[in-house]
Amino acid sequence: MQSRVVVSTAAAAVALALAGHAGAQSNVAVYGIIDSGVEAINHSASIAGSKANLTRLSSGNLSGSRLGLRGTEGLGGGLKTVFALESGIGVDTGAALQGGRLFGRQAYVGLQGGWGALTLGRQNSLMLDWMSKYNTMDNATWSSKVHDAAFSDRIDNAVKYSGKFDAVDLSVYYSTGYDSSKGGELAGHSKAGRQLGAGLQYHGAAWRAALVYDRKHGQTAALENNTDEHLTFGARYKVGAAEVLGGYLRRKQENVGVGAASVRTDLGWIGLAYQVSAPLQLSASLYRTDVKHSDKGPLSVITMVKYSLSKRTDLYLINSYASNRGGSNLGVNGFGVDIAAGQNQFGTMAGLRHSF
């Protein structure tokens, strides 16, 4: 868990006083992660049969580099205001990520009480908040999101409810336009750019599990009847210093009237993480995508060695191998990324992560 430095400022106190809330309890946490390393992959050119290698500095390998502000204000009676503003940063170039957005990772405000939390703005989907935690690599660059980018989804224009009921978490969300850069929120088109999702998650002493449903509609008037549905289950079980993690994702892309066939895929994964000692952790995972009604069945194997120099600083070495068949084009960085169809690919990255 990333550490937080809680600061109270005179400016915040003055703002609260002017707003007539001088007696309220308010705090702001400033936090961030800086993660960078060197990545090397083979068969990296898009030319079929190429054996070209690629070596480059990379950012956000184990955790996306970021700078954020998170805060609360007590309103009395157990009710409080919550907010978050979080920017994604490319450490290799200093550029803003998520399409150049100032607060591309998160930007929301809401109310929280004993009944749960209701938040408005750009927010994480449950695929990112919950399901990415059910593989050994979490939301690392090389993880389950290589097989399906939905594991890293963030949603514009979202209304989200989250509640905790003993050992069960419940969350639902709805977006009127999940990617403002590509469309949605069109007058007279109630489906264009819409996204909805719901999930349940159970926390036990030794194990936890989650089930999430998510559906997107096409983002333009012509494509609003197209849908992309995910139904995902994940579980993890801890025994001593070892933990087994796995899951299954059923995806259906329904294309209507655009000359493209509908697509059905299944993704399954299994992994093991082992805490060798307080600073040293080893992990390995296998992921396989099955494209229905085709010979395509790409798989990848990802291993990691992580050594913690302190509570805030980690060294890591990650290796990934992507195997393709039936003309599939999975690379270590995703489908169609620095890879020609039918080729296999190996990649390795070593880096340093610091959180504050």
Side-chain angles (χ1 to χ4, degrees), residues 130-138 144 151 201 207-211 232-238 243-249 267-273 284-288:
W130 290 5
M131 299 313 305
S132 64
K133 305 296 189 291
Y134 288 91
N135 80 109
T136 60
M137 298 304 297
D138 200 335
S144 54
F151 281 98
Q201 183 168 233
W207 69 281
R208 55 192 276 196
L211 180 67
T232 315
F233 173 78
R236 53 193 300 171
Y237 181 73
K238 190 169 186 180
E243 188 170 23
V244 180
L245 305 90
Y248 164 79
L249 182 154
L267 166 63
W269 69 94
I270 185 73
L272 176 67
S285 289
L286 171 68
Y287 309 82
R288 184 179 184 277

mmCIF file of all heavy atoms in Angstrom, residues 130-138 144 151 201 207-211 232-238 243-249 267-273 284-288:
data_model
loop_
_atom_site.group_PDB
_atom_site.id
_atom_site.type_symbol
_atom_site.label_atom_id
_atom_site.label_comp_id
_atom_site.label_asym_id
_atom_site.label_seq_id
_atom_site.Cartn_x
_atom_site.Cartn_y
_atom_site.Cartn_z
ATOM 1 N N TRP A 130 -10.778 -3.908 -8.754
ATOM 2 C CA TRP A 130 -10.892 -5.227 -8.133
ATOM 3 C C TRP A 130 -10.164 -6.320 -8.907
ATOM 4 O O TRP A 130 -9.266 -6.976 -8.380
ATOM 5 C CB TRP A 130 -12.364 -5.628 -8.006
ATOM 6 C CG TRP A 130 -13.155 -4.855 -7.013
ATOM 7 C CD1 TRP A 130 -12.748 -3.777 -6.272
ATOM 8 C CD2 TRP A 130 -14.514 -5.101 -6.650
ATOM 9 N NE1 TRP A 130 -13.765 -3.326 -5.489
ATOM 10 C CE2 TRP A 130 -14.859 -4.120 -5.690
ATOM 11 C CE3 TRP A 130 -15.472 -6.026 -7.052
ATOM 12 C CZ2 TRP A 130 -16.123 -4.060 -5.114
ATOM 13 C CZ3 TRP A 130 -16.725 -5.978 -6.481
ATOM 14 C CH2 TRP A 130 -17.055 -5.005 -5.523
ATOM 15 N N MET A 131 -10.539 -6.546 -10.168
ATOM 16 C CA MET A 131 -10.116 -7.754 -10.867
ATOM 17 C C MET A 131 -8.620 -7.788 -11.152
ATOM 18 O O MET A 131 -8.029 -8.874 -11.215
ATOM 19 C CB MET A 131 -10.895 -7.933 -12.167
ATOM 20 C CG MET A 131 -12.397 -8.072 -11.998
ATOM 21 S SD MET A 131 -12.935 -9.230 -10.702
ATOM 22 C CE MET A 131 -12.105 -10.739 -11.169
ATOM 23 N N SER A 132 -7.985 -6.632 -11.325
ATOM 24 C CA SER A 132 -6.535 -6.650 -11.568
ATOM 25 C C SER A 132 -5.766 -7.181 -10.362
ATOM 26 O O SER A 132 -4.611 -7.601 -10.496
ATOM 27 C CB SER A 132 -6.036 -5.244 -11.930
ATOM 28 O OG SER A 132 -6.226 -4.347 -10.851
ATOM 29 N N LYS A 133 -6.414 -7.190 -9.182
ATOM 30 C CA LYS A 133 -5.756 -7.684 -7.967
ATOM 31 C C LYS A 133 -5.757 -9.209 -7.874
ATOM 32 O O LYS A 133 -5.171 -9.767 -6.939
ATOM 33 C CB LYS A 133 -6.460 -7.117 -6.723
ATOM 34 C CG LYS A 133 -6.576 -5.598 -6.694
ATOM 35 C CD LYS A 133 -5.213 -4.943 -6.636
ATOM 36 C CE LYS A 133 -5.306 -3.440 -6.392
ATOM 37 N NZ LYS A 133 -5.868 -2.693 -7.530
ATOM 38 N N TYR A 134 -6.390 -9.889 -8.816
ATOM 39 C CA TYR A 134 -6.482 -11.346 -8.759
ATOM 40 C C TYR A 134 -5.491 -12.040 -9.688
ATOM 41 O O TYR A 134 -5.684 -13.187 -10.075
ATOM 42 C CB TYR A 134 -7.917 -11.798 -9.046
ATOM 43 C CG TYR A 134 -8.834 -11.467 -7.890
ATOM 44 C CD1 TYR A 134 -9.524 -10.254 -7.846
ATOM 45 C CD2 TYR A 134 -8.970 -12.341 -6.824
ATOM 46 C CE1 TYR A 134 -10.340 -9.927 -6.774
ATOM 47 C CE2 TYR A 134 -9.790 -12.028 -5.745
ATOM 48 C CZ TYR A 134 -10.464 -10.828 -5.727
ATOM 49 O OH TYR A 134 -11.259 -10.503 -4.647
ATOM 50 N N ASN A 135 -4.434 -11.325 -10.074
ATOM 51 C CA ASN A 135 -3.306 -11.975 -10.737
ATOM 52 C C ASN A 135 -2.039 -11.493 -10.035
ATOM 53 O O ASN A 135 -2.028 -10.442 -9.387
ATOM 54 C CB ASN A 135 -3.292 -11.689 -12.237
ATOM 55 C CG ASN A 135 -2.718 -10.328 -12.586
ATOM 56 O OD1 ASN A 135 -1.626 -10.229 -13.136
ATOM 57 N ND2 ASN A 135 -3.455 -9.261 -12.289
ATOM 58 N N THR A 136 -0.960 -12.247 -10.129
ATOM 59 C CA THR A 136 0.235 -11.954 -9.336
ATOM 60 C C THR A 136 0.863 -10.613 -9.689
ATOM 61 O O THR A 136 1.576 -10.035 -8.871
ATOM 62 C CB THR A 136 1.301 -13.050 -9.540
ATOM 63 O OG1 THR A 136 1.668 -13.099 -10.926
ATOM 64 C CG2 THR A 136 0.767 -14.412 -9.110
ATOM 65 N N MET A 137 0.593 -10.103 -10.896
ATOM 66 C CA MET A 137 1.236 -8.885 -11.359
ATOM 67 C C MET A 137 0.411 -7.633 -11.098
ATOM 68 O O MET A 137 0.817 -6.544 -11.477
ATOM 69 C CB MET A 137 1.542 -9.000 -12.852
ATOM 70 C CG MET A 137 2.501 -10.126 -13.217
ATOM 71 S SD MET A 137 4.064 -10.018 -12.333
ATOM 72 C CE MET A 137 4.693 -8.465 -12.943
ATOM 73 N N ASP A 138 -0.773 -7.772 -10.473
ATOM 74 C CA ASP A 138 -1.635 -6.621 -10.215
ATOM 75 C C ASP A 138 -1.869 -5.878 -11.532
ATOM 76 O O ASP A 138 -2.277 -6.475 -12.510
ATOM 77 C CB ASP A 138 -1.015 -5.727 -9.144
ATOM 78 C CG ASP A 138 -2.007 -4.790 -8.468
ATOM 79 O OD1 ASP A 138 -3.044 -4.473 -9.091
ATOM 80 O OD2 ASP A 138 -1.770 -4.389 -7.324
ATOM 81 N N SER A 144 -2.352 -9.217 -16.589
ATOM 82 C CA SER A 144 -3.565 -9.658 -17.288
ATOM 83 C C SER A 144 -4.031 -8.651 -18.330
ATOM 84 O O SER A 144 -4.675 -9.022 -19.319
ATOM 85 C CB SER A 144 -4.681 -9.911 -16.268
ATOM 86 O OG SER A 144 -4.886 -8.770 -15.452
ATOM 87 N N PHE A 151 -8.754 -4.579 -18.060
ATOM 88 C CA PHE A 151 -8.232 -4.672 -16.705
ATOM 89 C C PHE A 151 -7.632 -3.348 -16.239
ATOM 90 O O PHE A 151 -7.341 -3.190 -15.054
ATOM 91 C CB PHE A 151 -7.171 -5.770 -16.609
ATOM 92 C CG PHE A 151 -7.731 -7.157 -16.523
ATOM 93 C CD1 PHE A 151 -7.826 -7.961 -17.640
ATOM 94 C CD2 PHE A 151 -8.174 -7.663 -15.311
ATOM 95 C CE1 PHE A 151 -8.341 -9.244 -17.564
ATOM 96 C CE2 PHE A 151 -8.692 -8.941 -15.219
ATOM 97 C CZ PHE A 151 -8.775 -9.734 -16.348
ATOM 98 N N GLN A 201 -17.696 -8.540 -4.020
ATOM 99 C CA GLN A 201 -16.391 -9.043 -3.604
ATOM 100 C C GLN A 201 -16.467 -9.511 -2.154
ATOM 101 O O GLN A 201 -17.049 -8.826 -1.302
ATOM 102 C CB GLN A 201 -15.326 -7.957 -3.745
ATOM 103 C CG GLN A 201 -13.928 -8.415 -3.400
ATOM 104 C CD GLN A 201 -12.860 -7.414 -3.825
ATOM 105 O OE1 GLN A 201 -11.912 -7.754 -4.515
ATOM 106 N NE2 GLN A 201 -13.018 -6.163 -3.429
ATOM 107 N N TRP A 207 -8.901 -16.288 2.165
ATOM 108 C CA TRP A 207 -9.182 -16.157 0.748
ATOM 109 C C TRP A 207 -10.163 -15.026 0.471
ATOM 110 O O TRP A 207 -10.854 -14.550 1.372
ATOM 111 C CB TRP A 207 -9.716 -17.474 0.189
ATOM 112 C CG TRP A 207 -11.102 -17.834 0.676
ATOM 113 C CD1 TRP A 207 -11.430 -18.377 1.878
ATOM 114 C CD2 TRP A 207 -12.323 -17.656 -0.040
ATOM 115 N NE1 TRP A 207 -12.792 -18.558 1.965
ATOM 116 C CE2 TRP A 207 -13.359 -18.138 0.800
ATOM 117 C CE3 TRP A 207 -12.648 -17.160 -1.296
ATOM 118 C CZ2 TRP A 207 -14.695 -18.116 0.413
ATOM 119 C CZ3 TRP A 207 -13.974 -17.146 -1.680
ATOM 120 C CH2 TRP A 207 -14.983 -17.625 -0.841
ATOM 121 N N ARG A 208 -10.174 -14.614 -0.786
ATOM 122 C CA ARG A 208 -11.118 -13.608 -1.242
ATOM 123 C C ARG A 208 -11.493 -13.911 -2.679
ATOM 124 O O ARG A 208 -10.750 -14.587 -3.398
ATOM 125 C CB ARG A 208 -10.538 -12.199 -1.108
ATOM 126 C CG ARG A 208 -9.220 -12.000 -1.783
ATOM 127 C CD ARG A 208 -8.539 -10.716 -1.389
ATOM 128 N NE ARG A 208 -9.008 -9.581 -2.165
ATOM 129 C CZ ARG A 208 -8.362 -8.410 -2.231
ATOM 130 N NH1 ARG A 208 -7.251 -8.233 -1.545
ATOM 131 N NH2 ARG A 208 -8.829 -7.436 -2.960
ATOM 132 N N ALA A 209 -12.634 -13.399 -3.095
ATOM 133 C CA ALA A 209 -13.121 -13.667 -4.446
ATOM 134 C C ALA A 209 -13.990 -12.504 -4.909
ATOM 135 O O ALA A 209 -14.572 -11.779 -4.081
ATOM 136 C CB ALA A 209 -13.919 -14.968 -4.500
ATOM 137 N N ALA A 210 -14.090 -12.320 -6.224
ATOM 138 C CA ALA A 210 -14.898 -11.234 -6.775
ATOM 139 C C ALA A 210 -15.530 -11.664 -8.092
ATOM 140 O O ALA A 210 -14.975 -12.479 -8.843
ATOM 141 C CB ALA A 210 -14.050 -9.992 -7.002
ATOM 142 N N LEU A 211 -16.716 -11.117 -8.353
ATOM 143 C CA LEU A 211 -17.433 -11.321 -9.605
ATOM 144 C C LEU A 211 -17.845 -9.952 -10.133
ATOM 145 O O LEU A 211 -18.476 -9.173 -9.409
ATOM 146 C CB LEU A 211 -18.666 -12.197 -9.387
ATOM 147 C CG LEU A 211 -19.521 -12.494 -10.620
ATOM 148 C CD1 LEU A 211 -18.751 -13.368 -11.608
ATOM 149 C CD2 LEU A 211 -20.829 -13.173 -10.211
ATOM 150 N N THR A 232 -16.374 -11.433 -15.356
ATOM 151 C CA THR A 232 -15.069 -11.843 -14.838
ATOM 152 C C THR A 232 -15.176 -12.339 -13.407
ATOM 153 O O THR A 232 -15.838 -11.714 -12.573
ATOM 154 C CB THR A 232 -14.079 -10.664 -14.889
ATOM 155 O OG1 THR A 232 -14.181 -10.002 -16.148
ATOM 156 C CG2 THR A 232 -12.650 -11.140 -14.690
ATOM 157 N N PHE A 233 -14.500 -13.450 -13.144
ATOM 158 C CA PHE A 233 -14.429 -14.010 -11.789
ATOM 159 C C PHE A 233 -12.961 -14.170 -11.405
ATOM 160 O O PHE A 233 -12.136 -14.602 -12.209
ATOM 161 C CB PHE A 233 -15.114 -15.375 -11.723
ATOM 162 C CG PHE A 233 -14.922 -16.076 -10.393
ATOM 163 C CD1 PHE A 233 -15.660 -15.699 -9.286
ATOM 164 C CD2 PHE A 233 -13.980 -17.089 -10.266
ATOM 165 C CE1 PHE A 233 -15.472 -16.331 -8.060
ATOM 166 C CE2 PHE A 233 -13.794 -17.734 -9.048
ATOM 167 C CZ PHE A 233 -14.535 -17.352 -7.941
ATOM 168 N N GLY A 234 -12.642 -13.817 -10.166
ATOM 169 C CA GLY A 234 -11.282 -13.983 -9.675
ATOM 170 C C GLY A 234 -11.288 -14.477 -8.246
ATOM 171 O O GLY A 234 -12.219 -14.202 -7.477
ATOM 172 N N ALA A 235 -10.245 -15.219 -7.869
ATOM 173 C CA ALA A 235 -10.114 -15.716 -6.501
ATOM 174 C C ALA A 235 -8.640 -15.785 -6.135
ATOM 175 O O ALA A 235 -7.779 -15.953 -7.013
ATOM 176 C CB ALA A 235 -10.769 -17.089 -6.351
ATOM 177 N N ARG A 236 -8.364 -15.651 -4.845
ATOM 178 C CA ARG A 236 -7.003 -15.805 -4.344
ATOM 179 C C ARG A 236 -7.047 -16.460 -2.965
ATOM 180 O O ARG A 236 -7.935 -16.168 -2.159
ATOM 181 C CB ARG A 236 -6.261 -14.471 -4.324
ATOM 182 C CG ARG A 236 -6.952 -13.342 -3.612
ATOM 183 C CD ARG A 236 -6.301 -11.990 -3.916
ATOM 184 N NE ARG A 236 -4.916 -11.927 -3.527
ATOM 185 C CZ ARG A 236 -4.090 -10.913 -3.842
ATOM 186 N NH1 ARG A 236 -4.556 -9.901 -4.592
ATOM 187 N NH2 ARG A 236 -2.838 -10.911 -3.456
ATOM 188 N N TYR A 237 -6.085 -17.334 -2.706
ATOM 189 C CA TYR A 237 -6.071 -18.109 -1.465
ATOM 190 C C TYR A 237 -4.651 -18.112 -0.917
ATOM 191 O O TYR A 237 -3.701 -18.449 -1.622
ATOM 192 C CB TYR A 237 -6.542 -19.532 -1.714
ATOM 193 C CG TYR A 237 -6.578 -20.389 -0.467
ATOM 194 C CD1 TYR A 237 -7.564 -20.197 0.496
ATOM 195 C CD2 TYR A 237 -5.627 -21.380 -0.258
ATOM 196 C CE1 TYR A 237 -7.600 -20.978 1.645
ATOM 197 C CE2 TYR A 237 -5.657 -22.172 0.889
ATOM 198 C CZ TYR A 237 -6.642 -21.960 1.836
ATOM 199 O OH TYR A 237 -6.673 -22.727 2.974
ATOM 200 N N LYS A 238 -4.511 -17.762 0.362
ATOM 201 C CA LYS A 238 -3.194 -17.642 0.982
ATOM 202 C C LYS A 238 -2.971 -18.754 1.984
ATOM 203 O O LYS A 238 -3.818 -19.033 2.831
ATOM 204 C CB LYS A 238 -3.055 -16.287 1.663
ATOM 205 C CG LYS A 238 -1.642 -15.964 2.121
ATOM 206 C CD LYS A 238 -1.509 -14.516 2.534
ATOM 207 C CE LYS A 238 -0.063 -14.176 2.851
ATOM 208 N NZ LYS A 238 0.087 -12.757 3.247
ATOM 209 N N GLU A 243 0.700 -17.694 -1.940
ATOM 210 C CA GLU A 243 -0.661 -17.325 -2.321
ATOM 211 C C GLU A 243 -0.919 -17.746 -3.757
ATOM 212 O O GLU A 243 -0.105 -17.490 -4.647
ATOM 213 C CB GLU A 243 -0.888 -15.826 -2.166
ATOM 214 C CG GLU A 243 -2.344 -15.417 -2.359
ATOM 215 C CD GLU A 243 -2.619 -13.981 -1.974
ATOM 216 O OE1 GLU A 243 -1.677 -13.171 -1.971
ATOM 217 O OE2 GLU A 243 -3.789 -13.666 -1.685
ATOM 218 N N VAL A 244 -2.058 -18.418 -3.963
ATOM 219 C CA VAL A 244 -2.483 -18.831 -5.305
ATOM 220 C C VAL A 244 -3.545 -17.855 -5.794
ATOM 221 O O VAL A 244 -4.491 -17.532 -5.064
ATOM 222 C CB VAL A 244 -3.053 -20.263 -5.285
ATOM 223 C CG1 VAL A 244 -3.499 -20.667 -6.693
ATOM 224 C CG2 VAL A 244 -2.020 -21.248 -4.753
ATOM 225 N N LEU A 245 -3.405 -17.380 -7.043
ATOM 226 C CA LEU A 245 -4.339 -16.420 -7.624
ATOM 227 C C LEU A 245 -4.769 -16.916 -8.995
ATOM 228 O O LEU A 245 -3.958 -17.459 -9.761
ATOM 229 C CB LEU A 245 -3.711 -15.041 -7.765
ATOM 230 C CG LEU A 245 -3.111 -14.384 -6.522
ATOM 231 C CD1 LEU A 245 -1.636 -14.755 -6.361
ATOM 232 C CD2 LEU A 245 -3.234 -12.861 -6.578
ATOM 233 N N GLY A 246 -6.038 -16.750 -9.325
ATOM 234 C CA GLY A 246 -6.497 -17.174 -10.634
ATOM 235 C C GLY A 246 -7.842 -16.573 -10.983
ATOM 236 O O GLY A 246 -8.497 -15.930 -10.151
ATOM 237 N N GLY A 247 -8.264 -16.790 -12.219
ATOM 238 C CA GLY A 247 -9.552 -16.242 -12.623
ATOM 239 C C GLY A 247 -9.942 -16.634 -14.033
ATOM 240 O O GLY A 247 -9.204 -17.315 -14.755
ATOM 241 N N TYR A 248 -11.131 -16.169 -14.416
ATOM 242 C CA TYR A 248 -11.703 -16.469 -15.729
ATOM 243 C C TYR A 248 -12.476 -15.248 -16.205
ATOM 244 O O TYR A 248 -13.196 -14.603 -15.421
ATOM 245 C CB TYR A 248 -12.642 -17.679 -15.627
ATOM 246 C CG TYR A 248 -13.564 -17.842 -16.811
ATOM 247 C CD1 TYR A 248 -13.104 -18.412 -18.001
ATOM 248 C CD2 TYR A 248 -14.890 -17.421 -16.752
ATOM 249 C CE1 TYR A 248 -13.944 -18.557 -19.092
ATOM 250 C CE2 TYR A 248 -15.742 -17.569 -17.846
ATOM 251 C CZ TYR A 248 -15.268 -18.128 -19.011
ATOM 252 O OH TYR A 248 -16.095 -18.260 -20.090
ATOM 253 N N LEU A 249 -12.320 -14.921 -17.486
ATOM 254 C CA LEU A 249 -13.027 -13.795 -18.100
ATOM 255 C C LEU A 249 -13.725 -14.275 -19.367
ATOM 256 O O LEU A 249 -13.106 -14.897 -20.235
ATOM 257 C CB LEU A 249 -12.050 -12.672 -18.439
ATOM 258 C CG LEU A 249 -12.602 -11.381 -19.046
ATOM 259 C CD1 LEU A 249 -11.689 -10.207 -18.727
ATOM 260 C CD2 LEU A 249 -12.764 -11.476 -20.571
ATOM 261 N N LEU A 267 -10.660 -15.875 -21.384
ATOM 262 C CA LEU A 267 -9.324 -15.710 -20.823
ATOM 263 C C LEU A 267 -9.280 -16.405 -19.472
ATOM 264 O O LEU A 267 -10.128 -16.161 -18.609
ATOM 265 C CB LEU A 267 -8.986 -14.215 -20.661
ATOM 266 C CG LEU A 267 -7.762 -13.883 -19.796
ATOM 267 C CD1 LEU A 267 -6.489 -14.463 -20.414
ATOM 268 C CD2 LEU A 267 -7.629 -12.363 -19.616
ATOM 269 N N GLY A 268 -8.295 -17.279 -19.294
ATOM 270 C CA GLY A 268 -8.094 -17.925 -18.010
ATOM 271 C C GLY A 268 -6.673 -17.698 -17.536
ATOM 272 O O GLY A 268 -5.747 -17.599 -18.356
ATOM 273 N N TRP A 269 -6.487 -17.593 -16.236
ATOM 274 C CA TRP A 269 -5.132 -17.398 -15.711
ATOM 275 C C TRP A 269 -4.995 -18.043 -14.333
ATOM 276 O O TRP A 269 -5.955 -18.213 -13.600
ATOM 277 C CB TRP A 269 -4.780 -15.914 -15.655
ATOM 278 C CG TRP A 269 -5.520 -15.102 -14.633
ATOM 279 C CD1 TRP A 269 -5.113 -14.804 -13.349
ATOM 280 C CD2 TRP A 269 -6.797 -14.465 -14.791
ATOM 281 N NE1 TRP A 269 -6.046 -14.032 -12.712
ATOM 282 C CE2 TRP A 269 -7.092 -13.808 -13.569
ATOM 283 C CE3 TRP A 269 -7.712 -14.395 -15.844
ATOM 284 C CZ2 TRP A 269 -8.276 -13.092 -13.381
ATOM 285 C CZ3 TRP A 269 -8.888 -13.685 -15.645
ATOM 286 C CH2 TRP A 269 -9.160 -13.046 -14.438
ATOM 287 N N ILE A 270 -3.748 -18.401 -14.008
ATOM 288 C CA ILE A 270 -3.423 -18.989 -12.721
ATOM 289 C C ILE A 270 -2.004 -18.548 -12.358
ATOM 290 O O ILE A 270 -1.144 -18.423 -13.240
ATOM 291 C CB ILE A 270 -3.508 -20.535 -12.768
ATOM 292 C CG1 ILE A 270 -3.300 -21.149 -11.391
ATOM 293 C CG2 ILE A 270 -2.546 -21.108 -13.772
ATOM 294 C CD1 ILE A 270 -4.450 -20.982 -10.453
ATOM 295 N N GLY A 271 -1.777 -18.288 -11.078
ATOM 296 C CA GLY A 271 -0.452 -17.829 -10.674
ATOM 297 C C GLY A 271 -0.149 -18.152 -9.232
ATOM 298 O O GLY A 271 -1.044 -18.487 -8.437
ATOM 299 N N LEU A 272 1.126 -18.050 -8.881
ATOM 300 C CA LEU A 272 1.595 -18.312 -7.526
ATOM 301 C C LEU A 272 2.562 -17.217 -7.115
ATOM 302 O O LEU A 272 3.491 -16.881 -7.867
ATOM 303 C CB LEU A 272 2.294 -19.672 -7.447
ATOM 304 C CG LEU A 272 2.932 -20.034 -6.099
ATOM 305 C CD1 LEU A 272 1.851 -20.240 -5.032
ATOM 306 C CD2 LEU A 272 3.804 -21.285 -6.229
ATOM 307 N N ALA A 273 2.343 -16.649 -5.931
ATOM 308 C CA ALA A 273 3.270 -15.679 -5.344
ATOM 309 C C ALA A 273 3.814 -16.264 -4.047
ATOM 310 O O ALA A 273 3.054 -16.859 -3.263
ATOM 311 C CB ALA A 273 2.560 -14.356 -5.072
ATOM 312 N N ALA A 284 4.963 -16.167 -10.367
ATOM 313 C CA ALA A 284 4.872 -16.642 -11.748
ATOM 314 C C ALA A 284 3.406 -16.822 -12.096
ATOM 315 O O ALA A 284 2.603 -17.249 -11.257
ATOM 316 C CB ALA A 284 5.625 -17.962 -11.921
ATOM 317 N N SER A 285 3.047 -16.508 -13.350
ATOM 318 C CA SER A 285 1.657 -16.629 -13.799
ATOM 319 C C SER A 285 1.599 -17.117 -15.228
ATOM 320 O O SER A 285 2.486 -16.826 -16.047
ATOM 321 C CB SER A 285 0.926 -15.279 -13.700
ATOM 322 O OG SER A 285 0.693 -14.915 -12.372
ATOM 323 N N LEU A 286 0.520 -17.848 -15.523
ATOM 324 C CA LEU A 286 0.222 -18.294 -16.876
ATOM 325 C C LEU A 286 -1.131 -17.718 -17.283
ATOM 326 O O LEU A 286 -2.111 -17.826 -16.538
ATOM 327 C CB LEU A 286 0.170 -19.824 -16.927
ATOM 328 C CG LEU A 286 -0.353 -20.451 -18.234
ATOM 329 C CD1 LEU A 286 0.623 -20.200 -19.377
ATOM 330 C CD2 LEU A 286 -0.599 -21.943 -18.049
ATOM 331 N N TYR A 287 -1.198 -17.096 -18.483
ATOM 332 C CA TYR A 287 -2.421 -16.507 -19.016
ATOM 333 C C TYR A 287 -2.672 -17.110 -20.408
ATOM 334 O O TYR A 287 -1.750 -17.223 -21.211
ATOM 335 C CB TYR A 287 -2.307 -14.992 -19.172
ATOM 336 C CG TYR A 287 -1.830 -14.248 -17.945
ATOM 337 C CD1 TYR A 287 -0.470 -14.170 -17.641
ATOM 338 C CD2 TYR A 287 -2.733 -13.593 -17.110
ATOM 339 C CE1 TYR A 287 -0.024 -13.469 -16.526
ATOM 340 C CE2 TYR A 287 -2.291 -12.889 -15.997
ATOM 341 C CZ TYR A 287 -0.947 -12.840 -15.709
ATOM 342 O OH TYR A 287 -0.501 -12.148 -14.603
ATOM 343 N N ARG A 288 -3.928 -17.439 -20.688
ATOM 344 C CA ARG A 288 -4.251 -17.955 -22.024
ATOM 345 C C ARG A 288 -5.592 -17.414 -22.507
ATOM 346 O O ARG A 288 -6.588 -17.450 -21.780
ATOM 347 C CB ARG A 288 -4.308 -19.479 -22.038
ATOM 348 C CG ARG A 288 -4.547 -20.052 -23.441
ATOM 349 C CD ARG A 288 -4.574 -21.564 -23.457
ATOM 350 N NE ARG A 288 -4.697 -22.099 -24.810
ATOM 351 C CZ ARG A 288 -5.855 -22.240 -25.465
ATOM 352 N NH1 ARG A 288 -6.997 -21.897 -24.879
ATOM 353 N NH2 ARG A 288 -5.878 -22.712 -26.694
#
